[in-house]
Amino acid sequence: MSVKAFEPHDFEQAVAFALRVEMSRQGISQRTLATRSGVSRSRVMRILAEEGQTAPMTVTVLEALCRALGISMMRILADAENMLATGRA
């Protein structure tokens, strides 16, 4: 896999989008994700916000969210990279 350079904010937005897609696929709400991951609901809401002020995501928080979704962090990162590379994010 080749590594492409993306703007940090764009990549964070793509990661949040990839998480939202996975949540939608599984039918999981932000509230459920927060409960399962141990990340506060308000933080989950800020991380996943589609517009406005978003919260930055640490690796620890991303890992907790991915674990709560039952997927690997590498998959979400790869999905985000693919979305940016193809212009889908």
Side-chain angles (χ1 to χ4, degrees):
M1 175 167 94
S2 66
V3 177
K4 297 186 179 200
F6 300 108
E7 292 296 320
H9 179 74
D10 292 343
F11 193 71
E12 277 189 4
Q13 290 297 319
V15 169
F17 183 76
L19 286 167
R20 289 193 303 272
V21 167
E22 184 61 28
M23 288 169 60
S24 176
R25 188 185 74 72
Q26 293 186 28
I28 293 176
S29 69
Q30 289 183 2
R31 179 179 299 225
T32 299
L33 182 63
T35 301
R36 287 183 185 177
S37 67
V39 177
S40 74
R41 185 167 172 237
S42 62
R43 177 108 188 240
V44 168
M45 289 174 60
R46 286 192 316 271
I47 288 169
L48 299 176
E50 294 183 46
E51 297 178 16
Q53 186 71 20
T54 59
M57 196 175 342
T58 65
V59 171
T60 303
V61 168
L62 178 58
E63 176 61 27
L65 297 175
C66 289
R67 191 174 49 253
L69 291 169
I71 58 173
S72 73
M73 188 168 56
M74 291 305 298
R75 177 173 155 213
I76 283 294
L77 295 174
D79 288 352
E81 183 178 16
N82 289 334
M83 288 175 191
L84 282 173
T86 60
R88 292 184 295 147

